[in-house]
């Protein structure tokens, strides 16, 4: 098996590394990545990378993209090197990762022209209005409504687990616009401004003490009639386009880098006066984790090869498998780290000075990672729903194993 990309791509990787060394130097790197850098600095970096046609390669130039021929290997190299450098190559997962591809596939021309370019450059921040207190995995049960009054939608309801809602300029969301239609057919996909009367954003305190998520209340909120993506009642179809991109998690360097950090933690942690890595059970757990890391790396390479060779492949199914696999792997990895930390974890978050024993220094907050990972089986498509979709749509398994009476 030849895993080399070839001289042309080796040269391209060297070119990318040289660019990053100049545009995103070592002083901006580390565990904090782009999060500790001012937004204007991040935007300047994205603009420089876009000028070199490294970013947004598949997006037409008229919408602010690089409009380059598709090359799976170049895309992979860019992702690998930008991630390794901790560079901010996607400003906003909700915007660049979700609404942009959705508008490209199903939006009106004016919507693409208005919203995509400033979103790519980080000028527009988006949040996603999907989940509700009574509609999570069964999203089609949502009750938030939008009724058409003249040339405006009037929106009422309640969304929850809304990332970045406090800072967002816009929301894309699903609202019931045809109350008498079957539940999947009565939903529309709307865009709306967040800075307007009638919107109440409230923080949700998470188990790790952070407030990344919010709940949003709508009271007679307004959106222009043409701020609908697709046709009225086609919201479920548009959401499936959106979710196809949201569930595209699980690849990249994260499983490997996360394992390497746990390995360093096991070397540095003392248990009864001996390094933890000298204990048989710890070594067995590390060996099992590395085997699984190699599995997902091999799976990613197989998918990359298929894409590069223009072979038929169900990319959406593959990315869902990746997401499910990486969710379980991530949970087991941080669980081992938490076991190694032991009762010292009780000191967090007031005292995390002990984290200096792990690679990455104080930024390697394993307690926070452990607590946040609990959401992995729910976020971006819950694991149980992922299994259903993979089994039914990917493997052709029956929806219900019970025989008809």
């Amino acid at each position: 098996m030849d895993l080399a990309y070839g001289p042309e791509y080796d040269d391209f990787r060297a070119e990318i590394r040289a660019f990053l060394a100049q545009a995103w130097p070592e002083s901006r790197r580390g565990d904090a990545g782009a999060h500790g850098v001012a937004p204007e600095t991040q935007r300047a970096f994205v603009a420089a990378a876009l000028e070199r046609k490294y970013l947004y390669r598949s997006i037409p130039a008229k919408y602010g993209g690089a409009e380059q021929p598709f090359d799976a290997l170049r895309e992979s190299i860019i992702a690998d090197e930008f991630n390794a450098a901790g560079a901010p190559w996607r400003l906003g997962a909700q915007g660049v990762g979700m609404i942009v591809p959705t508008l490209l596939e199903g939006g009106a021309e004016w919507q693409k022209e208005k919203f995509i370019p400033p979103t790519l450059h980080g000028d527009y921040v988006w949040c996603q209005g999907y989940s509700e207190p009574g509609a999570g995995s069964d999203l089609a049960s949502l009750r938030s409504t939008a009724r058409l009054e003249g040339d405006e939608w009037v929106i009422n309801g309640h969304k929850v687990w809304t990332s970045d809602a406090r800072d967002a300029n816009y929301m894309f969301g699903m609202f019931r616009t045809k109350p008498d239609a079957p539940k999947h057919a009565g939903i529309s996909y709307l865009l709306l401004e967040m800075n307007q009367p009638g919107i109440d954003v409230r923080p949700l305190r998470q188990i790790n003490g952070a407030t990344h998520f919010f709940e949003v209340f709508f009271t007679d909120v307004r959106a222009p009639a043409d701020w609908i993506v697709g046709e009225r009642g086609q919201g479920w179809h548009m959401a499936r386009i959106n979710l196809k991109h949201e569930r595209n998690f699980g690849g990249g360097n994260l499983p490997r880098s996360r394992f390497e950090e746990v390995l360093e933690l096991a070397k540095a942690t003392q248990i009864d006066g001996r390094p933890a890595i000298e204990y048989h059970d710890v070594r067995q757990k590390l060996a099992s984790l590395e085997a699984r890391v190699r599995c997902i790396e091999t799976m990613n390479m197989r998918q990359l090869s298929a894409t590069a060779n223009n072979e038929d492949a169900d990319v959406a199914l593959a990315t869902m498998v990746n997401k499910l696999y990486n969710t379980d792997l991530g949970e087991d990895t941080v669980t081992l780290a938490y076991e190694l930390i032991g009762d010292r974890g009780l000191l967090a978050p007031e005292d995390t000075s002990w984290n200096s024993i792990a690679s990455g220094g104080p930024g390697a907050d394993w307690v926070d990672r452990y607590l946040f990972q609990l959401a992995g089986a729910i976020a971006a498509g819950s694991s149980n729903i992922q299994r259903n979709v993979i089994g039914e749509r990917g493997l052709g398994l029956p929806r219900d194993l019970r025989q008809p009476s």
Side-chain angles (χ1 to χ4, degrees):
M1 182 182 298
D2 183 5
L3 299 180
Y5 284 22
E8 172 190 351
Y9 293 102
D10 291 341
D11 291 344
F12 183 71
R13 187 182 295 275
E15 175 187 324
I16 294 294
R17 289 178 175 176
F19 166 76
L20 289 169
Q22 179 273 322
W24 197 253
E26 290 288 339
S27 60
R28 295 177 183 166
R29 303 184 186 185
D31 278 347
H35 299 295
V37 180
E40 56 270 20
T41 303
Q42 297 182 42
R43 287 196 291 268
F45 171 80
V46 167
L50 183 55
E51 184 178 1
R52 298 286 293 270
K53 301 188 183 302
Y54 295 150
L55 299 185
Y56 314 139
R57 291 168 53 85
S58 63
I59 298 176
K62 65 179 179 178
Y63 305 135
E67 196 169 342
Q68 294 295 293
F70 179 71
D71 187 321
L73 297 183
R74 286 177 183 259
E75 298 280 358
S76 175
I77 290 169
I78 291 169
D80 286 349
E81 297 301 329
F82 277 53
N83 283 333
W89 60 294
R90 286 178 177 148
L91 295 182
Q94 321 294 329
V96 173
M98 297 181 196
I99 189 60
V100 166
T102 301
L103 290 177
L104 285 171
E105 189 166 338
E109 182 62 27
W110 76 265
Q111 293 171 344
K112 299 175 186 178
E113 294 174 353
K114 174 178 174 60
F115 293 115
I116 292 179
T119 299
L120 296 181
H121 287 273
D123 297 323
Y124 287 174
V125 176
W126 291 81
C127 61
Q128 179 191 60
Y130 276 20
S131 296
E132 299 182 6
S137 295
D138 184 16
L139 185 58
S141 297
L142 63 88
R143 296 183 179 180
S144 294
T145 63
R147 68 180 186 275
L148 194 57
E149 291 187 359
D151 59 355
E152 288 185 319
W153 296 101
V154 181
I155 300 169
N156 288 276
H158 179 193
K159 296 292 182 180
V160 73
W161 305 118
T162 309
S163 304
D164 302 325
R166 180 174 54 194
D167 301 318
N169 308 106
Y170 298 98
M171 171 185 283
F172 57 90
M174 296 171 63
F175 300 90
R176 193 161 298 283
T177 57
K178 301 170 72 175
D180 297 328
K183 66 178 187 178
H184 288 82
I187 299 170
S188 295
Y189 191 101
L190 303 180
L191 313 176
L192 58 96
E193 287 193 72
M194 289 294 289
N195 184 22
Q196 62 169 300
I199 291 183
D200 182 14
V201 178
R202 303 178 190 175
L204 291 169
R205 182 70 62 179
Q206 297 159 227
I207 192 173
N208 62 355
T211 54
H212 176 72
F213 299 103
F214 301 83
E215 54 184 341
V216 183
F217 297 84
F218 306 89
T219 305
D220 292 337
V221 171
R222 306 279 170 159
D226 61 351
W227 283 35
I228 182 172
V229 183
E231 300 297 327
R232 185 174 183 174
Q234 289 186 342
W236 193 253
H237 171 70
M238 301 309 304
R240 288 183 64 181
I241 296 174
N242 193 163
L243 288 171
K244 176 174 64 177
H245 298 281
E246 181 183 12
R247 288 170 175 161
N248 189 9
F249 298 146
N253 298 320
L254 179 59
R256 170 59 61 182
S257 62
R258 191 167 47 196
F259 168 76
E260 296 291 346
E261 288 181 320
V262 174
L263 180 62
E264 292 302 313
L265 182 66
K267 292 177 181 178
T269 299
Q270 296 286 316
I271 299 178
D272 294 333
R274 293 169 55 195
I277 199 169
E278 293 183 3
Y279 288 84
H280 176 76
D281 60 333
V282 174
R283 295 174 69 86
Q284 288 296 104
K285 290 179 180 179
L286 288 168
S288 175
L289 288 175
E290 183 166 23
R292 292 164 65 187
V293 168
R294 292 190 181 192
C295 282
I296 198 169
E297 288 174 338
T298 303
M299 190 158 55
N300 287 334
M301 286 188 288
R302 179 174 179 235
Q303 293 163 11
L304 175 61
S305 296
T307 304
N309 292 325
N310 295 314
E311 297 174 2
D312 291 334
D314 190 336
V315 176
L317 177 64
T319 55
M320 282 192 286
V321 171
N322 285 356
K323 193 273 182 185
L324 178 62
Y325 187 96
N326 196 44
T327 294
D328 293 341
L329 175 57
E331 182 175 335
D332 291 343
T333 303
V334 297
T335 297
L336 175 57
Y338 196 76
E339 291 172 353
L340 292 172
I341 290 168
D343 56 10
R344 288 171 297 173
L346 297 174
L347 301 175
E350 281 73 19
D351 180 6
T352 56
S353 58
W354 47 266
N355 265 321
S356 61
I357 66 175
S359 64
D365 189 345
W366 287 111
V367 175
D368 184 79
R369 294 188 195 189
Y370 175 81
L371 294 174
F372 190 81
Q373 187 64 34
L374 297 174
I378 303 172
S382 68
S383 292
N384 285 340
I385 296 299
Q386 297 271 17
R387 292 186 180 97
N388 284 347
V389 175
I390 293 167
E392 295 166 8
R393 300 179 191 170
L395 303 177
L397 299 179
R399 290 180 60 87
D400 195 332
L401 294 178
R402 292 175 297 177
Q403 297 295 321
S405 57

